[in-house]
Amino acid sequence: MKKIALVHSHDEPIYGEMARHTPAGFETVGVDVRAPLAEQVAAARGAEYLILSGTELPDEVLRACGPGLLQILSAGWDYLNLDLVREMEVPVANNGGANSWAVADHAVLLILAVYHRLIESDAAVRAGRWREPLDGTNAFELAGKTVGLLGMGAIGRQVARRVRAFDARVAYCDPVALPSDLESELSAVRTGIDDLFASSDVVSIHVPLVEETRHLVSRRLIGTMRPTAVLVNTARGALVDEGALIEALAEGRIAGAGLDVFEAEPIDPGNPLLGMSNVVVTPHSAGTNWDAWSRRASFGYANVARFDRGEEPLGLVSI
């Protein structure tokens, strides 16, 4: 049987739920990155394939198995040691949008939480301050608003479908235009990045982090946003100039933000974002839920089997 090393940091039942998708003719060996490095290397040695569930892959583990395919279960790959991956000439595939449902749900959750001042209202009710955060002027609905999507891949498309159900308009910026029938289905209008930021009520970010996109959401772009606009980021923290965002929020030049990702993670407890009532934060958890584990694992294992049959893997990324 061919050996697949599943590199992870999960307890049961998550590990078991993922490993149950192992195809016939393969066996899965767990490589728990919480174990001593020597144990990780021993477990991985000789594996033909490697599936990575998480953002930690010790170089020694990668070298120990020299996999035919490195299958990651995230959408992004910026956390990999790309120099080593290139040196070893290991092809890398991402999750092919398998977590797009989870991330899209979370993006909409953040939009609604900011619009309805959910966190403040919850805290006020628990403290006996009935309706205190709401004055009739500071909560909003999505209907009639323009949601600008920076990136229209699998996740962006799922977000578009969801906000259309709230009667919002959809604009998007992506180097590749959607097919005309899909644009019609999503009622999505393609525009340039400057117009997207200047004209949208909500900007939601859905692009990968590569060198060209670092701080893509720059001080200049943030400066073009409306005072009533909200920025949502469920992609990668370094896509945004965080210092510029903090200044814009503190000075009231934009209305709020919903952030699942940050430039430094875990976020520093002293980060000014944590003290802002117009910011909703979550711990880089948008793609993490019970349904997503199974969907991501099912895709990843099937992709390994596809590659083993000599077929082109889905979700192959250019590094």
Side-chain angles (χ1 to χ4, degrees), residues 103-128:
V103 178
D105 283 357
H106 199 93
V108 176
L109 169 72
L110 290 173
I111 296 169
L112 295 175
V114 174
Y115 259 17
H116 291 276
R117 306 181 79 89
L118 176 66
I119 307 304
E120 294 174 86
S121 296
D122 177 87
V125 172
R126 293 174 189 273

Side-chain angles (χ1 to χ4, degrees), residues 79 102 249:
Y79 52 84
L249 289 163

Side-chain angles (χ1 to χ4, degrees), residues 206-287:
H206 304 288
V207 296
L209 176 62
V210 294
E211 200 51 45
E212 294 76 19
T213 60
R214 188 173 299 274
H215 282 194
L216 175 63
V217 182
S218 62
R219 182 177 300 274
R220 183 188 68 79
L221 277 178
I222 293 171
T224 67
M225 295 177 72
R226 298 173 174 179
T228 54
V230 171
L231 182 70
V232 171
N233 190 5
T234 54
R236 289 291 187 269
L239 293 164
V240 177
D241 182 336
E242 194 169 280
L245 174 61
I246 289 169
E247 289 177 15
L249 289 163
E251 296 169 7
R253 289 187 281 111
I254 66 171
L259 306 172
D260 185 53
V261 289
F262 308 89
E263 288 213 63
E265 296 181 359
I267 189 171
D268 188 312
N271 191 309
L273 290 167
L274 300 183
M276 295 180 172
S277 61
N278 56 344
V279 177
V280 176
V281 296
T282 52
H284 201 149
S285 58

Side-chain angles (χ1 to χ4, degrees), residues 55-178:
T55 57
E56 185 177 348
L57 176 59
D59 293 348
E60 295 85 353
V61 170
L62 183 60
R63 289 191 178 100
C65 55
L69 176 69
L70 170 53
Q71 173 68 58
I72 59 176
L73 299 186
S74 62
W77 58 90
D78 51 285
Y79 52 84
L80 296 176
N81 181 345
L82 297 178
D83 289 337
L84 180 59
V85 171
R86 293 185 191 105
E87 175 190 321
M88 296 179 63
E89 299 181 342
V90 178
V92 177
N94 73 359
N95 68 16
N99 69 342
S100 59
W101 288 264
V103 178
D105 283 357
H106 199 93
V108 176
L109 169 72
L110 290 173
I111 296 169
L112 295 175
V114 174
Y115 259 17
H116 291 276
R117 306 181 79 89
L118 176 66
I119 307 304
E120 294 174 86
S121 296
D122 177 87
V125 172
R126 293 174 189 273
R129 303 191 307 273
W130 189 250
R131 301 189 71 176
E132 180 181 285
L134 303 173
D135 63 12
T137 68
N138 59 359
F140 307 91
E141 58 191 33
L142 261 177
K145 304 299 191 300
T146 297
V147 176
L149 302 174
L150 182 57
M152 200 54 143
I155 296 171
R157 297 175 195 189
Q158 293 283 15
V159 175
R161 291 187 174 95
R162 283 155 176 74
V163 299
R164 284 294 298 142
F166 286 86
D167 295 322
R169 296 183 293 268
V170 176
Y172 76 99
C173 175
D174 194 288
V176 180
L178 293 178

